[in-house]
Amino acid sequence: MAITILLADDHTIVRDGLCALFEKDPQLIIVGSVNNGLEAIKKVRDLKPDVVLMDISMPELNGIDATKQIR
């Protein structure tokens, strides 16, 4: 069974690198990628990923506060 992942990081190079790494494993599926905490909250509601890989320091809403709202 595949694990769906949402990436939340304000650095494009980090998101791209993680995507490239996870794409090597067919059981890991990137369902979305966002660059701030507010977008992460919206995407979690829409996509319902199994895992959110969240940066703690992002614009608009940091990862810690976004995670609290997602929980």
Side-chain angles (χ1 to χ4, degrees), residues 16-54:
D16 291 348
L18 289 170
C19 281
L21 180 66
F22 291 146
E23 286 175 351
K24 293 179 181 182
D25 187 333
Q27 292 188 342
L28 301 176
I29 300 171
I30 305 296
V31 294
S33 176
V34 297
N35 65 7
N36 67 62
L38 291 177
E39 288 182 26
I41 293 168
K42 292 175 190 174
K43 287 290 185 179
V44 165
R45 288 181 184 146
D46 294 341
L47 302 173
K48 298 180 182 19
D50 298 316
V51 175
V52 178
L53 189 57
M54 181 89 69

